[in-house]
């Protein structure tokens, strides 16, 4: 029998993980295989399918040191009830193609769960953006005040990126949802099986064309890790901004998402955002474990990208999903300090691009000259200890600029700055409302795509469980 150290460090953890997380997928794959064999006339294969449907409804045994893994536990139980059915099930079946099929079934389920959370976050961002179309804020570049925009502009920009992440997840699903079943050990089989039928039963898009590829490839798992890395990286950047705004009183989380201090009565720490950031970091860390498990190993059936990788994938999905959930609830009903945002915009110098634009519109000439004039104007104001708000027409006239009072006031007004940005993708309220409507339509389409995929897989499981006829 196996060494006690091997049992303790490998066999039992693998069994416990599979028992906790993979059994539905294992029974799906075995049942589909049995049904396919029955359609090809293999004796007792139909009985194997019936017994598998019964076994999956029974409590699954805990780890037994005498049994190597969950597959052999199913095999032993089936053989104990119907040896011929157990023998039929083993026709053209290897743990090589079975295991990677189970991993793909699990991955597509977890991918759809993560996608559902991302869709919910996108909806939350768009809903909040819809309430903040007129909330002027100062956008920063290189950690310095840059230009006025709106909170809606920022939030819809973030949602725009997440819409691409959603499409990346759908693309990854297309790479995951391929069937290895029928590859057997690696070279296929001499039995006249129907790999297309097995793929259909499991709601895979098609069989993997090359049987060596079917049991050897890990690209689809690395693809999942890369997809999560991209999304988690973007979300961590958003959390950074939210925490900064919270520290300045520009955004306040609702009471259930903050914690106080045992010493400082005034403290309202936005801990939900801190934990979201940590979870995104941990998810990215686990993606590296996935990639390294597939790195510099033979191209064949091995444990590194097989059972050894599954806990890392599990942790990756869990941390990413929980981070998205925390961020979603944090943005569902925050208190926005609109007056504080407005004061920051009015007291700074972020509007001066519009002042240069106004000079160009009024007297002609190029923007390069106007840019230089405004830069010189700011230098003079700083030397005199004055703020931009104190600027007068006389200051401009000293530079040879005669700007009407109304145009000067508009050029220094952050809301007017935003209102003039009416080009495609700009923050002007009318433009932003159109953009938000288009984003909502895009989200509805993605939600429908997700729902169709989820329903397709759920229907396949219902049929495999014996709930409906094929």
């Amino acid at each position: 029998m196996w060494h006690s150290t091997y049992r303790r460090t490998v066999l039992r953890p693998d069994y416990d993980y599979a028992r906790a997380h993979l059994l539905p997928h294992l029974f799906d794959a075995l049942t589909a295989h049995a049904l396919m064999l029955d359609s090809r006339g293999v004796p007792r294969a139909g009985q194997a399918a019936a017994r598998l449907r019964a076994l999956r409804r029974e409590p699954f045994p805990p780890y037994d040191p005498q049994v190597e893994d969950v597959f052999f536990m199913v095999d032993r139980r089936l053989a104990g009830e119907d040896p011929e059915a157990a023998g039929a099930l083993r026709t053209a079946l290897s743990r090589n193609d079975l295991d990677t099929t189970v991993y793909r079934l699990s991955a597509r389920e977890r991918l759809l769960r993560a996608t559902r959370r991302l869709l919910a976050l996108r909806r939350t961002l768009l809903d909040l953006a819809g309430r903040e179309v007129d909330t002027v804020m100062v956008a920063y570049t290189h950690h310095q005040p840059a230009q006025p925009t709106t909170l809606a502009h920022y939030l819809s920009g973030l949602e725009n990126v997440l819409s691409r992440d959603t499409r990346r997840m759908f693309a990854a699903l297309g790479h995951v949802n391929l069937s290895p079943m029928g590859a057997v050990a690696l070279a296929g089989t001499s039995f006249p099986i129907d790999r297309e039928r097995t793929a259909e039963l499991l709601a895979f898009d098609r069989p993997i064309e090359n049987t060596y590829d079917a049991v050897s490839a890990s690209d689809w798992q690395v693809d999942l890790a890369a997809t999560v890395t991209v999304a988690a990286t973007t979300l961590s950047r958003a959390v950074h901004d939210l925490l900064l705004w919270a520290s300045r009183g520009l955004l306040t989380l609702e009471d259930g998402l903050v914690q106080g201090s045992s010493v400082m009565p005034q403290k309202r720490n936005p801990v939900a955002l801190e934990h979201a950031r940590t979870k995104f970091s941990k998810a990215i860390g686990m993606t590296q474990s996935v990639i390294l498990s597939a790195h510099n190993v033979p191209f064949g059936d091995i444990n590194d990208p097989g059972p050894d990788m599954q806990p890392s994938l599990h942790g990756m999905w869990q941390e990413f999903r929980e981070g998205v959930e925390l961020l979603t609830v944090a943005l569902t009903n925050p208190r926005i300090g609109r007056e504080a945002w407005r004061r920051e915009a009015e007291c700074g110098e972020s509007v001066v691009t519009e002042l240069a634009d106004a000079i160009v519109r009024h007297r002609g000439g190029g923007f390069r000259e106007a840019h230089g004039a405004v830069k010189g104007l700011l230098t003079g104001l700083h030397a005199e200890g004055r703020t931009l708000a104190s600027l007068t027409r006389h200051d401009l006239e000293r530079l040879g600029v005669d700007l009407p009072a109304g145009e000067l006031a508009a050029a220094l007004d952050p809301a007017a700055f935003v209102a003039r940005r009416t080009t495609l993708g700009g923050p002007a309220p009318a433009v932003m409302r159109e953009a938000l409507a288009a984003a909502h339509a895009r989200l509805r389409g993605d939600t429908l795509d997700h729902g169709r995929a989820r329903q397709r897989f759920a229907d396949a499981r219902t049929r495999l469980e014996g709930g409906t006829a094929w």
Side-chain angles (χ1 to χ4, degrees):
M1 292 305 294
W2 298 281
H3 193 284
S4 60
T5 299
Y6 188 65
R7 288 199 307 269
R8 175 175 54 81
T9 60
V10 177
L11 294 180
R12 178 158 195 163
D14 285 355
Y15 187 99
D16 290 343
Y17 177 84
R19 182 171 180 255
H21 302 290
L22 300 178
L23 285 182
H25 311 296
L26 174 66
F27 278 108
D28 286 349
L30 289 174
T31 304
H33 181 66
L35 291 170
M36 180 277 295
L37 292 175
D38 184 52
S39 73
R40 303 299 291 172
V42 175
R44 304 296 295 178
Q47 286 77 5
R51 285 305 309 144
L52 286 167
R53 285 169 168 166
L55 284 175
R56 75 184 298 161
R57 292 191 291 268
E58 299 174 6
F60 200 82
Y63 177 66
D64 182 342
Q66 303 301 312
V67 181
E68 184 174 340
D69 58 22
V70 290
F71 167 73
F72 279 117
M73 180 60 77
V74 172
D75 179 70
R76 184 171 78 169
R77 296 182 72 190
L78 186 59
E81 298 178 5
D82 190 336
E84 293 182 0
L89 183 65
R90 297 284 290 272
T91 304
L93 179 69
S94 165
R95 282 182 298 171
N96 294 7
D97 62 341
L98 176 63
D99 284 354
T100 192
T101 298
V102 169
Y103 301 149
R104 283 176 180 264
L105 291 171
S106 173
R108 79 182 185 188
E109 181 176 271
R110 291 175 179 274
L111 177 58
L112 283 182
R113 288 179 190 169
T115 306
R116 185 169 73 249
R117 267 62 171 201
L118 203 62
L119 292 170
L121 175 56
R122 287 173 57 192
R123 187 174 301 107
T124 298
L125 286 167
L126 292 177
D127 289 346
L128 181 56
R131 302 194 297 270
E132 305 300 334
V133 169
D134 297 310
T135 301
V136 176
M137 61 177 280
V138 177
Y140 280 61
T141 61
H142 303 283
H143 304 276
Q144 295 296 307
Q147 290 184 328
T149 185
T150 64
L151 185 53
H153 195 217
Y154 175 96
L155 294 170
S156 65
L158 178 58
E159 190 278 334
N160 216 50
V161 179
L162 297 183
S163 73
R164 295 196 294 272
D165 288 325
T166 303
R167 301 317 303 179
R168 273 186 278 268
M169 289 185 172
F170 285 143
L173 178 62
H175 303 151
V176 168
N177 201 42
L178 305 175
S179 175
M181 288 297 284
V184 200
L186 62 88
T189 180
S190 58
F191 290 100
I193 62 171
D194 185 348
R195 292 191 64 208
E196 287 79 8
R197 178 57 176 159
T198 310
E200 179 187 12
L201 290 167
L202 290 167
F204 282 123
D205 294 339
R206 57 179 170 80
I208 297 173
E209 302 88 344
N210 182 290
T211 57
Y212 199 103
D213 170 17
V215 300
S216 304
S218 59
D219 64 312
W220 60 276
Q221 296 179 104
V222 174
D223 190 22
L224 292 172
T227 300
V228 168
T229 296
V230 172
T233 299
T234 294
L235 293 172
S236 71
R237 296 177 69 185
V239 172
H240 175 93
D241 291 340
L242 294 171
L243 283 167
L244 176 63
W245 297 343
S247 72
R248 296 164 55 202
L250 301 173
L251 175 146
T252 305
L253 300 189
E254 58 184 291
D255 289 346
L257 299 172
V258 299
Q259 288 181 229
S261 165
S262 60
V263 173
M264 298 167 282
Q266 83 283 7
K267 293 283 278 180
R268 296 186 82 259
N269 301 319
V271 291
L273 292 173
E274 292 179 347
H275 288 298
R277 178 177 59 189
T278 298
K279 287 182 177 296
F280 293 136
S281 298
K282 289 166 69 176
I284 293 171
M286 289 171 182
T287 66
Q288 302 311 299
S289 175
V290 170
I291 293 169
L292 291 173
S293 291
H295 167 69
N296 199 29
V297 296
F299 182 59
D301 178 73
I302 51 175
N303 284 311
D304 306 55
D308 289 353
M309 187 185 284
Q310 301 315 303
S312 295
L313 283 166
H314 174 80
M316 176 191 80
W317 289 123
Q318 179 172 331
E319 297 296 344
F320 178 75
R321 187 176 68 247
E322 292 177 355
V324 173
E325 290 172 351
L326 283 170
L327 187 52
T328 300
V329 296
L331 292 174
T332 297
N333 192 34
R335 186 168 70 251
I336 304 300
R338 297 183 183 91
E339 285 303 307
W341 286 112
R342 182 185 59 78
R343 284 194 300 272
E344 181 183 25
E346 291 177 346
C347 293
E349 299 173 349
S350 62
V351 295
V352 294
T353 301
E354 180 59 28
L355 179 58
D357 289 348
I359 292 172
V360 172
R361 286 194 297 268
H362 184 71
R363 76 175 188 184
F367 182 80
R368 183 175 183 274
E369 181 182 350
H371 178 281
V374 171
K375 192 169 185 178
L377 179 65
L378 290 175
T379 299
L381 289 175
H382 297 162
E384 296 172 9
R386 295 169 56 195
T387 66
L388 183 65
S390 69
L391 183 68
T392 66
R393 291 184 64 201
H394 177 68
D395 294 313
L396 293 174
E397 289 169 355
R398 287 189 298 178
L399 297 175
V401 177
D402 183 17
L403 199 63
E407 289 195 35
L408 175 59
L412 300 181
D413 181 357
F417 181 105
V418 169
R420 285 185 180 274
R421 267 58 189 176
T422 58
T423 53
L424 177 66
V431 174
M432 183 52 54
R433 289 188 178 94
E434 291 181 3
L436 290 175
H440 275 291
R442 180 179 61 200
L443 175 60
R444 287 193 295 272
D446 289 344
T447 302
L448 286 173
D449 287 345
H450 176 271
R452 281 190 287 264
R454 185 176 61 178
Q455 191 61 53
R456 177 189 173 196
F457 301 149
D459 289 346
R461 170 159 294 170
T462 297
R463 290 189 288 264
L464 288 168
E465 290 174 335
T468 58
W470 288 92

